[in-house]
Amino acid sequence: MVASLAAVRVLVVEDDPEVRGVVVTALRAVGFAVDQAADWSQADVNMSVNDYDCLVLDRILPEGDSAGQLRRRREAGLGVPALMLTALDDVTDRVAGFEAGADDYVVKPFVAAELVLRVRALCRRRGTTLPPVMRAGDVEVDTARREVRRDGVLLTLTPKEFSVLEMLLVRRPAVVTRADLFEHCWDEQADPTSNVVDVVVGQLRRKLGDPPVITTVRGTGYRVDLAGR
């Protein structure tokens, strides 16, 4: 059984909108928060304001070969695992990518499911690996299969609801602020001034049912509270 991870944030740097869309959609479908950039200039802006668990890079971008771009950033201290996507499948091209600092290399066309597995593997190097199953009272979260049961009954959660519950369980019994939940479970598409965190927590509470699993700490955030149950 494959170990799962705490909330994951990925940056996809790809100038082809169609390919970028496929990658972003596949990663978001498994609950990753995903930001995107079409070139290195935008990627640098993203990396200056967000911490990422993995970079997915097109080999050839408007600024040129990403191997050279990645090498310079590695020399400057960039430590985030990087996966390169490329149509260049010659051995010498792959070697050049690895020598520049890439951690993995996927040749186009690629299978989205395999790409997700490779990104997940790279994220383990940087993120917190979770146990296959987490429990709090009668709530059981299978982090590998991304399934949630309460009192043995399988619940249907959205990827975002699962990510929020997972993070609350990882931090239990501490309070998780709304800002932390937003930063780790949402990407740049979400409006930080909206009430999206409260909405998802409300949906999650309804699906988990009674007795309540998630407690609101007024003015701060949320925590999982099943003490004594």
Side-chain angles (χ1 to χ4, degrees), residues 24 33 64 67 77 90 105 119 122 129 187-188 200 218:
V24 170
D90 187 81
Y105 207 90
V119 170
L122 291 180
T129 302
D187 50 42
E188 61 190 359
V200 170
R218 190 175 298 278

Side-chain angles (χ1 to χ4, degrees), residues 173-178 198 205 214-225:
V175 176
V176 183
T177 67
R178 290 176 175 84
D198 298 325
R205 276 177 167 148
I214 301 171
T215 299
T216 300
V217 179
R218 190 175 298 278
T220 304
Y222 303 97
R223 70 179 173 208
V224 168
D225 188 2

Side-chain angles (χ1 to χ4, degrees), residues 38-177:
D39 53 42
W40 273 104
S41 296
Q42 182 59 49
D44 285 335
V45 172
N46 285 85
M47 289 188 288
S48 71
V49 296
N50 299 308
D51 289 326
Y52 292 102
D53 299 287
C54 183
L55 307 177
V56 177
L57 311 171
D58 185 22
R59 176 67 186 263
I60 304 299
L61 287 167
E63 296 94 337
D65 192 338
S66 283
Q69 297 283 345
L70 180 59
R71 184 190 302 277
R72 287 192 286 275
R73 286 161 179 79
R74 288 291 193 225
E75 292 172 350
L78 179 68
V80 182
L83 179 149
M84 276 194 178
L85 288 176
T86 182
L88 304 174
D89 61 353
D90 187 81
V91 172
T92 57
D93 291 317
R94 293 200 296 272
V95 169
F98 284 120
E99 289 181 340
D103 298 275
D104 201 355
Y105 207 90
V106 173
V107 177
K108 302 174 184 176
F110 56 86
V111 177
E114 180 185 358
L115 177 67
V116 169
L117 289 175
R118 288 176 177 268
V119 170
R120 195 187 297 276
L122 291 180
C123 288
R124 287 196 203 100
R125 301 183 184 182
R126 188 172 177 86
T128 301
T129 302
L130 302 179
V133 177
M134 295 190 293
R135 294 181 177 86
D138 60 355
V139 176
E140 179 180 286
V141 177
D142 187 324
T143 61
R145 294 191 176 92
R146 299 187 69 79
E147 294 178 349
V148 177
R149 287 175 169 79
R150 182 152 200 199
D151 198 21
V153 177
L154 180 64
L155 308 179
T156 302
L157 303 188
T158 66
K160 199 64 67 184
E161 291 164 354
F162 186 94
S163 294
V164 168
L165 178 59
E166 188 177 60
M167 187 170 179
L168 290 171
L169 284 171
V170 168
R171 297 282 188 88
R172 185 189 184 215
V175 176
V176 183
T177 67

